Amino acid sequence: MNAPLPAAVDWPLAVHQALSRLGFGVIGYVPDAGHKRLIELCHGDARLRTVVLSTEEEGIGLATGAWLGGAKTALLMQSSGVGNIVNALGVVRECRIPLLLVVTMRGEYGEFNPWQVPMGQATPEVLRAMGVLVQRADTADEVAVQVDAAARIAFGGYAAAAVLISQRVIGIKSFQEQAAQ
Amino acid sequence: MSALRRREVVRALLVNRGDLLVVAGLGSTAWDCAATGDHPLTFPMWGGMGCAAVTGLGLALAQPARRVLVVTGDGEMLMGLGSLATIGVQRPANLSVVVIDNERYGETGMQKTHTAHGVDLAAMARAAGFASAVLVREASAIESLRQAVHHGAGPHFAQVKVVAEKEAITLPPREGTLLKNRFREALLGASASLQ
């Protein structure tokens, strides 16, 4: 049984509000079921340029170019996407491009799909190996708090920072329930 | 077989560049841009292979009033083909992607790339939704390409077939923070350092 904890807050709404408050201009994403509502909120916000990516790696280039042009970028992805950005993160580190990653976790906490487990388990270490600051949100009510703090340390310190949103928050339980989302 | 020479093509696009913003893909195209003259508003990528076009996209979205040119190689473009689709969705009118196509991985021993076997990058860009996508083999087409890059409503894509030759390497600065900071200060002003 891997039911989500009862959501005390509407975390996607709170994250969207934090991104707006902090002055983000560009949102890049590869969809994840856990990001569904946040993606919809971003697409509905005319102040954000919300960019669907064909692979997460593109988001690193997108963020680099946007920062060269003066715009702040946040990237939304699933933990499997972290595996797709590893080499590109070298650009962010060498150039000290500030960047926020909001990562919904798979491959942990009661995962039903074994193919998700290797990358999910490796995600924090892979990010740290490339110099990304890593924070976690294990409950719904701390997601926006962690996003706010990660954005501040990223843009205050010209670094990449990631918030890993626990699968416990997302609460995917089975193929059938995932398909019904 | 094209008789175009890469340095001459890049020079024709960059000379009298006005307020053009340039992203140069890693490898030979970064040296080509440097050979025309180092410039604070050229961002040469020394890594992140496959990311040049989408870096240009981010810049074009952040600076919609400025023209943005990505100059990259066929090998670099092949590693980021999905970015053609991403650009095709966003359709920034101020972005051009010019691939200098020598059909070789030039930095690693001149091995043939996919374009040497007929892979048509311009057709891919056209199918992805670029406003224009051309295959250039003739010197007579360079001036119209320059006009498109500097003035036309894009996004534009050009695959420029060039002679496979090793040119003298002209290096731009290589420290990432230096390249970033000088670009941002030249574009955004001294206050960029306070953002």
Side-chain angles (χ1 to χ4, degrees):
Chain A
M1 185 60 188
N2 182 20
L5 295 175
V9 295
D10 182 351
W11 70 263
L13 182 64
V15 169
H16 174 251
Q17 289 170 342
L19 296 176
S20 297
R21 186 171 64 245
L22 293 163
F24 281 85
V26 178
I27 308 295
Y29 71 91
V30 173
D32 178 52
H35 274 315
K36 181 172 185 287
R37 176 158 158 72
L38 179 56
I39 290 166
E40 289 167 357
L41 289 167
C42 291
H43 268 300
D45 184 342
R47 294 164 300 178
L48 296 174
R49 184 67 178 241
T50 302
V51 178
V52 61
L53 308 167
S54 75
T55 173
E56 294 83 355
E57 184 182 25
E58 293 169 12
I60 305 300
L62 182 77
T64 300
W67 183 249
L68 290 176
K72 293 179 169 183
T73 299
L75 301 178
L76 316 180
M77 66 184 70
Q78 186 189 95
S79 49
S80 53
V82 170
N84 293 342
I85 65 173
V86 178
N87 180 58
L89 281 172
V91 176
V92 165
R93 188 170 188 183
E94 166 59 20
C95 298
R96 297 192 69 181
I97 305 293
L99 171 62
L100 174 65
L101 308 175
V102 184
V103 179
T104 45
M105 292 301 297
R106 293 290 304 271
E108 59 165 30
Y109 197 76
E111 173 65 59
F112 65 86
N113 181 352
W115 295 45
Q116 286 279 2
V117 174
M119 190 65 233
Q121 290 295 311
T123 290
E125 290 173 56
V126 166
L127 288 169
R128 288 197 180 99
M130 291 306 292
V132 178
L133 307 173
V134 178
Q135 300 179 195
R136 277 191 70 92
D138 287 315
T139 61
D141 60 0
E142 65 180 345
V143 176
V145 175
Q146 292 288 354
V147 165
D148 182 280
R152 289 176 194 279
I153 202 167
F155 286 85
Y158 306 101
V163 176
L164 309 185
I165 303 174
S166 171
Q167 193 160 354
R168 204 176 181 198
V169 175
I170 310 304
I172 293 169
K173 289 167 278 186
S174 69
F175 287 107
Q176 291 75 17
E177 285 159 304
Q178 185 184 26
Q181 277 203 335
Chain B
M1 189 68 187
S2 173
L4 290 173
R5 303 192 63 189
R6 56 186 311 133
R7 289 280 161 90
E8 292 171 9
V9 172
V10 172
R11 179 175 294 279
L13 298 176
L14 295 186
V15 71
N16 298 324
R17 58 189 274 174
D19 63 2
L20 187 70
L21 309 176
V22 177
V23 174
L26 89 171
S28 301
T29 45
W31 324 148
D32 293 336
C33 290
T36 296
D38 187 34
H39 195 290
L41 291 175
T42 294
F43 186 72
M45 301 191 73
W46 286 77
M49 185 165 176
C51 288
V54 80
T55 300
L57 172 64
L59 185 54
L61 295 180
Q63 290 288 327
R66 300 287 290 260
R67 307 294 303 190
V68 176
L69 169 63
V70 176
V71 183
T72 194
D74 44 307
E76 205 278 344
M77 188 71 249
L78 283 159
M79 198 174 280
L81 287 176
S83 62
L84 296 177
T86 296
I87 292 167
V89 172
Q90 300 302 319
R91 292 181 65 89
N94 56 332
L95 177 64
S96 297
V97 178
V98 173
V99 175
I100 302 298
D101 180 11
N102 66 352
E103 304 183 348
R104 299 291 188 280
Y105 292 105
E107 301 301 306
T108 54
M110 296 295 269
Q111 300 90 348
K112 286 183 178 179
T113 68
H114 305 54
T115 63
H117 301 278
V119 170
D120 186 340
L121 296 173
M124 289 179 169
R126 196 174 306 120
F130 277 65
S132 75
V134 294
L135 180 64
V136 173
R137 295 181 183 275
E138 307 294 334
S140 58
I142 298 298
E143 180 54 30
S144 64
L145 175 58
R146 178 183 163 87
Q147 288 298 316
V149 166
H150 286 264
H151 306 292
H156 299 292
F157 183 94
Q159 180 181 5
V160 183
K161 292 285 185 181
V162 298
V163 176
E165 57 184 341
K166 289 295 282 184
E167 296 275 11
I169 292 179
T170 305
L171 297 179
R174 68 179 183 275
E175 188 188 349
T177 51
L178 181 151
L179 293 164
K180 174 196 68 172
N181 288 330
R182 73 174 191 168
F183 190 104
R184 281 169 49 85
E185 286 179 22
L187 175 61
L188 305 168
S191 64
S193 303
L194 301 175
Q195 187 180 14

